[in-house]
Amino acid sequence: MIEVLLVRTSLSRLASRPAAATLLAIAVAAVGLGPAASPAAAATIPAGAGSYSDSRPAGTSGPTTNTGAPVTPKLTTAARDKPVPTNDWWSSLAYQRYGDNPYSTPMYGHPLTYQAKASGLEVGYPTTPAIVGDGRQYEYAHKADLTVGLSGLNSPDTKADAWSDWTVTPYWADGSRTFRATIGHGMPFVYAKGSGGDARITTASAPTVFSDQGNVLGITVAGHHYALFAPTGSDWNVSGTAITAGLGGKDYFSLAVLPSTDALATYKKYAFSFVTGSQVAWQSTGGNVRATYSLTTEAKEGTERGTLQALYRHQWLHTTDALTPYTYVSPRGTMKVRESATFTTSQKNNGVVPALPASSGVDKARLTGYLNEVANASDPFSGAADTYWTGKALGRLAQLVPVADQIGQTATRDKLLGLMKGRLQEWFTAGGASEFSYDKDWKTLTGYPASYGSDTELNDHHFHYSYYVYAAAIIAQYDQAWVADSAWGTMIKHLIRDTANASRTDSAYPFLRGFDVYAGHSWASGHQGFAAGNNQESSSESINLSAGLVLFGSATGDNNLRDLGSYLLTTESEAITQYWFDASQQVFPASFGHDTVGMVWGSGGAYSTWWTANPEEIHGINVLPVTGGSLHLAREKAAIKRNIAEMERENGGPAQEWRDLLWEFESLSDPAAAKAKWDGVNGNYTPEQGESKAHTYHWINTLNTVGAPDMTVSGDLPTSAVFSKDGTRTYTAHNHGSTARTVTFSDGKTLSVPARSTATSTGPGGSNPDPEEPGPSTGNTFRLKSGGVLTTATTDPAGADTVASADGVNRDGTPYRPTVYEVKKVNGKVASGAATAFRLRVDAGTKVGLAPQVRVSYDLTGDGTFDRAETFRYFATDPVNGWEEYTQASGAQAVTGSLGELRNGTVRLEVWNALGSGTSQVQTGTDAAVLKIPYV
């Protein structure tokens, strides 16, 4: 039994650190697990000019249980020598954090959730959120609908047997029976293999059978629909809550959660196409990042090798691949189903620059004074001793090197470089007060002195080491010899391999330890031992690692590493946008009263941090450190404005403790407002510990001069960026190469950049650098935007969304798998004499007998309850290719409730096919995709 207690406490900032440590978790009834193996004698392993140890320093610990007992990976013999990917959504299968739980804690695959037990695998599909922790956390907590296993199975433990990029196969054995179940992100199926017993499904309550086809059984449990598939010739037997089937000499069966009972036929087609692996491949070319996600399968029966997979919001927003009308509920918003073993996403590359461009808004004398304060400090590292705080200090210095270089302060630049080199060399040499140690059991490199569970829980390696990689990238920009493999580059590459290893065949480190390629972001906890699954707090420190990879790869000529960084950064950027900041306001439950979360959990999200409830830290922890890798945040300027507004509302006024970070954040959407706040204190404040007045002054005044980042334009070099102000765009790029090159931007602008230099130019354009929603809306006219959004913006590209089939049933008046568009936090008063109006373009192609229908609903206070619903008569389309216009002129069919003042309200438009047996299309992003509400 594991109990998790959420604790909110304010600790000393000098002792605090946002980390996936155990401050928030109290686990009880745990017992020790026996000692982990250790080498017979310590050895120093050379690595270029540096070295690391193969044993921990005396008096330190490696991975342990929650009671401090050493622990080794819980793997089958087949997996024993493979590097185990800790910090994953399923890591508790391999890392036994609690002595009395040799199985797993809840694992959130989405749409399904899982937990291993002695009798097999619990499976759930949580669809109703709970708001807990005084309203600070929303969660779709795991609750078993059923348990899948074998009759009589009673295993003493569960081990990880195999894994791939986003799937895992746990293993059970009790001496008479063996059982495996392959599960994964986005997988509606559980693929089971077993021996020694019949297939057995135990339901949490008596099931309702909606379909019985012998070896195929459709059941409903707790309102959720499942299909059970036994080998052909078998027959499922239902007895109370026990459902069993003989396997007839075979060793396989499967189950699937269905989006609806009528999906059974589609899912049955793929029941015996068993997923055996998953893999992502990425490429970064021409200013775009493309990623293809592929499942490998084997046919247990017949020849079908296809499958079904559910895409997260951050994925389906960026794919043009065909999707079915089927959807699932998840803590990350709606998941959409694709009928294929592969899909591809494409996004603009979010550029990373070593520093913002030179500008006339920066006073060089004042900046020089601020630089000298840091460079001439008695201890530029502020007493830092452990991996995290040393990293923060390195990051602080690294940001100032290109700034000093930019204004001609080369002596200061070189002094800062020398400080960074010296401290890194101390860490990169085994045997001193600080060193790195390799753990051969867990196949990880840990720095000592460690902090925040980076040693005992394998937490946060990607946070800590991000600063070392970024600092090395800045050094490499000025001193190629220092980062040569024969010098200190090999040690940097060990840190990269530990945290962001692109190789799946490296025997020393796992593939992408912390980054979950399907979830789209990293996880911080090494063991994942929480009822809420794994978590990540500081998404921005994860981005810091990706930005460091872009810069280090660029500086060392390693384009593969550079492009890995671009993929990780661009992917996680969209995940942050959707899941931390809810930029489209389509993810957080309506009953959750916050616009941002400090932490994302497998089960949901929390408006909190690990160490304080101070709103400044809750908002700022997903901003720090502010670097040239932070520009991606400017893509959602409206979300930044909402974020700052909420912080000030919760804080009772503007930021004080982390004011500099939050000024810099605000400057990505409103540089003038940020500069006014800077000017208001005139440098009289204490910087956040990873910041400096020099960097903040340069950042805010530069953006006030050149404008906020213009994310509508991207360059074909990953180290480029564009800014815009008052109709003028500023283009900048840094060329790390040894020859000049021309950078081409997506708006046609070209920029010639000399070797090992930064170039800047200007040109017309960018009068509206924010293509997204303008924030809480008081307008009354909205466009439909792909992704389920109603927006007052008029600059989104034209597109079309699919409207699901009515499946041959009359759905007149009742939404059936509707395509939904929403806008939240709308304010307005009812306009006298006005009425709801809409103008939509729909197309049924050559399909006969289709009839799209619309309902517009109003939730006046945003509490999740719709107070007014207006259903309009359907529009019968013709079977001819081409758009047809559907408006409110068709007339109202039914109206319920009353209109009233909108106070942070929600407006929703649903469109579905009331008749027919085919899908249709509805246009988005045009002046013929419009809803007008009767408000002023």
Side-chain angles (χ1 to χ4, degrees):
M1 174 66 178
I2 299 167
E3 296 179 1
V4 176
L5 174 65
L6 294 184
V7 180
R8 293 180 186 85
T9 181
S10 181
L11 307 178
S12 163
R13 276 297 299 132
L14 290 177
S16 68
R17 154 67 186 104
T22 51
L23 276 174
L24 277 179
I26 297 175
V28 298
V31 297
L33 290 187
S38 59
T44 296
I45 313 300
S51 58
Y52 60 93
S53 173
D54 69 353
S55 64
R56 294 183 292 275
T60 63
S61 297
T64 66
T65 67
N66 67 310
T67 59
V71 62
T72 53
K74 187 161 58 79
L75 309 175
T76 63
T77 301
R80 187 165 296 157
D81 295 327
K82 298 177 181 177
V84 61
T86 56
N87 308 77
D88 216 329
W89 67 273
W90 57 265
S91 294
S92 61
L93 283 169
Y95 190 137
Q96 187 175 343
R97 178 65 175 165
Y98 308 100
D100 66 338
N101 181 3
Y103 303 103
S104 82
T105 52
M107 301 172 289
Y108 293 81
H110 306 144
L112 292 172
T113 61
Y114 316 94
Q115 186 166 8
K117 299 290 186 181
S119 58
L121 183 69
E122 286 186 354
V123 178
Y125 174 40
T127 53
T128 302
I131 308 301
V132 299
D134 298 326
R136 288 176 169 265
Q137 183 165 343
Y138 77 88
E139 62 178 14
Y140 293 77
H142 168 70
K143 182 179 181 181
D145 288 337
L146 50 85
T147 301
V148 55
L150 302 176
S151 294
L153 180 64
N154 186 25
S155 179
D157 59 21
T158 308
K159 298 175 180 177
D161 183 55
W163 53 84
S164 59
D165 286 10
W166 62 89
T167 68
V168 64
T169 302
Y171 172 85
W172 294 255
D174 63 7
S176 300
R177 289 157 287 266
T178 63
F179 180 64
R180 292 174 172 84
T182 297
I183 56 179
H185 278 315
M187 285 170 46
F189 284 93
V190 175
Y191 304 97
K193 296 182 69 175
S195 64
D198 292 343
R200 180 183 176 94
I201 309 294
T202 305
T203 57
S205 58
T208 300
V209 176
F210 64 83
S211 179
D212 188 346
Q213 303 172 33
N215 72 317
V216 178
L217 189 71
I219 62 171
T220 300
V221 182
H224 304 141
H225 310 301
Y226 291 89
L228 314 180
F229 304 99
T232 299
S234 299
D235 191 16
W236 290 101
N237 176 64
V238 181
S239 178
T241 59
I243 306 174
T244 57
L247 297 179
K250 305 296 187 358
D251 67 350
Y252 57 85
F253 63 101
S254 67
L255 67 85
V257 62
L258 303 178
S260 58
T261 56
D262 57 10
L264 177 58
T266 300
Y267 281 64
K268 177 182 176 181
K269 179 180 177 182
Y270 302 106
F272 300 113
S273 178
F274 273 40
V275 169
T276 58
S278 58
Q279 186 166 308
V280 64
W282 59 84
Q283 60 177 343
S284 175
T285 56
N288 289 289
V289 175
R290 288 174 57 85
T292 297
Y293 299 82
S294 302
L295 295 172
T296 55
T297 62
E298 65 173 339
K300 292 296 188 181
E301 293 186 8
T303 59
E304 181 58 62
R305 296 287 301 276
T307 192
L308 295 157
Q309 50 188 325
L311 279 62
Y312 283 114
R313 180 177 180 83
H314 77 274
Q315 295 168 324
W316 58 255
L317 280 172
H318 296 286
T319 188
T320 57
D321 293 338
L323 303 175
T324 73
Y326 299 127
T327 61
Y328 290 105
V329 173
S330 87
R332 311 292 180 250
T334 300
M335 300 183 79
K336 297 188 176 185
V337 177
R338 174 157 166 78
E339 192 172 1
S340 174
T342 68
F343 66 89
T344 297
T345 61
S346 180
Q347 296 173 252
K348 286 183 179 178
N349 196 344
N350 292 301
V352 178
V353 292
L356 297 183
S359 79
S360 61
V362 172
D363 183 297
K364 293 183 180 180
R366 187 175 186 183
L367 180 56
T368 297
Y370 287 142
L371 287 167
N372 289 337
E373 287 179 8
V374 177
N376 298 329
S378 59
D379 179 10
F381 292 91
S382 304
D386 62 54
T387 48
Y388 181 71
W389 288 104
T390 296
K392 289 269 287 185
L394 287 167
R396 181 171 175 257
L397 300 179
Q399 295 310 308
L400 300 183
V401 170
V403 170
D405 187 51
Q406 188 178 93
I407 63 170
Q409 294 294 322
T410 55
T412 300
R413 175 200 68 192
D414 293 343
K415 183 173 184 178
L416 295 170
L417 286 168
L419 289 168
M420 293 159 58
K421 291 176 185 178
R423 187 54 58 96
L424 285 171
Q425 288 168 199
E426 290 176 16
W427 276 92
F428 290 167
T429 304
S434 52
E435 68 173 27
F436 285 92
S437 170
Y438 182 74
D439 186 317
K440 67 179 182 60
D441 295 315
W442 288 96
K443 300 189 186 305
T444 187
L445 194 70
T446 302
Y448 292 91
S451 50
Y452 311 107
S454 61
D455 50 352
T456 56
E457 301 178 57
L458 298 185
N459 294 337
D460 299 358
H461 282 204
H462 64 309
F463 293 164
H464 295 209
Y465 302 170
S466 73
Y467 293 101
Y468 294 70
V469 174
Y470 203 111
I474 295 299
I475 293 172
Q477 184 175 328
Y478 297 92
D479 188 347
Q480 292 278 305
W482 192 90
V483 295
D485 288 349
S486 59
W488 303 97
T490 297
M491 280 301 297
I492 288 293
K493 290 177 181 178
H494 271 287
L495 298 190
I496 292 171
R497 287 166 65 196
D498 182 71
T499 54
N501 189 13
S503 172
R504 298 179 180 86
T505 59
D506 189 335
S507 62
Y509 299 99
F511 172 71
L512 295 180
R513 180 185 302 281
F515 193 83
D516 186 328
V517 297
Y518 205 88
H521 59 81
S522 295
W523 296 110
S525 169
H527 52 73
Q528 185 258 311
F530 303 96
N534 214 323
N535 71 90
Q536 178 167 259
E537 183 182 56
S538 185
S539 60
S540 47
E541 285 180 308
S542 182
I543 287 288
N544 194 47
L545 175 60
S546 303
L549 297 178
V550 172
L551 294 177
F552 189 79
S554 297
T556 58
D558 187 342
N559 289 347
N560 289 332
L561 186 61
R562 178 200 67 188
D563 292 349
L564 167 64
S566 291
Y567 163 68
L568 298 177
L569 192 154
T570 301
T571 303
E572 189 154 24
S573 174
E574 187 61 59
I576 293 166
T577 292
Q578 299 299 330
Y579 311 142
W580 273 260
F581 296 159
D582 195 18
S584 300
Q585 299 181 293
Q586 297 294 306
V587 173
F588 296 170
S591 51
F592 182 61
H594 294 282
D595 289 324
T596 188
V597 295
M599 306 172 69
V600 161
W601 286 88
S603 64
Y607 186 78
S608 62
T609 72
W610 281 104
W611 81 101
T612 182
N614 185 345
E616 295 184 35
E617 275 95 333
I618 292 172
H619 290 256
I621 193 56
N622 286 292
V623 175
L624 64 79
V626 175
T627 76
S630 304
L631 303 181
H632 73 100
L633 294 169
R635 194 176 65 254
E636 296 288 350
K637 295 179 176 61
I640 294 176
K641 294 174 183 176
R642 288 197 302 269
N643 193 304
I644 295 294
E646 180 181 23
M647 184 279 298
E648 293 184 348
R649 188 168 62 247
E650 294 284 335
N651 202 46
Q656 298 297 318
E657 187 173 349
W658 278 8
R659 62 180 78 183
D660 46 357
L661 289 173
L662 294 164
W663 293 337
E664 290 170 302
F665 183 41
E666 186 171 18
S667 70
L668 294 172
S669 67
D670 191 343
K675 185 175 186 302
K677 291 176 180 177
W678 163 272
D679 290 343
V681 300
N682 196 32
N684 296 314
Y685 70 97
T686 300
E688 186 271 334
Q689 286 155 297
E691 257 302 345
S692 64
K693 292 179 182 178
H695 181 251
T696 301
Y697 171 76
H698 180 268
W699 182 275
I700 291 173
N701 284 274
T702 298
L703 291 181
N704 185 62
T705 303
V706 302
D710 186 341
M711 305 308 289
T712 66
V713 182
S714 61
D716 63 0
L717 183 68
T719 51
S720 61
V722 182
F723 308 85
S724 64
K725 180 179 181 179
D726 298 334
T728 297
R729 283 186 173 134
T730 298
Y731 303 80
T732 189
H734 186 84
N735 176 14
H736 289 87
S738 58
T739 59
R741 67 159 294 165
T742 298
V743 178
T744 301
F745 292 87
S746 57
D747 63 353
K749 174 74 174 182
T750 59
L751 178 64
S752 179
V753 191
R756 305 196 189 286
S757 301
T758 296
T760 301
S761 181
T762 60
S767 58
N768 177 19
D770 183 5
E772 303 301 331
E773 304 120 82
S777 176
T778 54
N780 66 356
T781 303
F782 303 90
R783 285 191 179 187
L784 278 62
K785 175 183 175 181
S786 291
V789 174
L790 292 171
T791 175
T792 55
T794 58
T795 55
D796 293 303
D801 288 339
T802 299
V803 182
S805 170
D807 292 333
V809 177
N810 189 326
R811 314 287 183 179
D812 185 14
T814 303
Y816 177 70
R817 293 192 208 154
T819 300
V820 180
Y821 303 88
E822 276 189 353
V823 59
K824 297 180 180 180
K825 298 195 174 178
V826 181
N827 299 293
K829 295 183 179 180
V830 178
S832 178
T836 301
F838 62 88
R839 180 188 179 198
L840 304 181
R841 283 184 180 157
V842 293
D843 181 23
T846 58
K847 304 178 189 76
V848 177
L850 271 58
Q853 191 165 22
V854 161
R855 181 169 73 181
V856 179
S857 304
Y858 299 87
D859 171 0
L860 300 179
T861 59
D863 63 358
T865 299
F866 284 90
D867 306 281
R868 166 85 164 188
E870 303 176 14
T871 303
F872 294 84
R873 294 189 178 94
Y874 64 69
F875 176 78
T877 54
D878 63 34
V880 178
N881 284 317
W883 296 107
E884 300 177 78
E885 195 158 287
Y886 174 28
T887 73
Q888 79 285 348
S890 60
Q893 183 189 71
V895 177
T896 60
S898 301
L899 291 172
E901 184 175 352
L902 282 164
R903 297 179 179 176
N904 288 322
T906 300
V907 179
R908 173 185 292 175
L909 182 147
E910 300 165 275
V911 57
W912 70 97
N913 276 312
L915 303 172
S917 297
T919 62
S920 58
Q921 300 281 307
V922 61
Q923 203 171 95
T924 61
T926 73
D927 58 5
V930 172
L931 169 68
K932 185 174 182 179
I933 61 175
Y935 283 85
V936 293

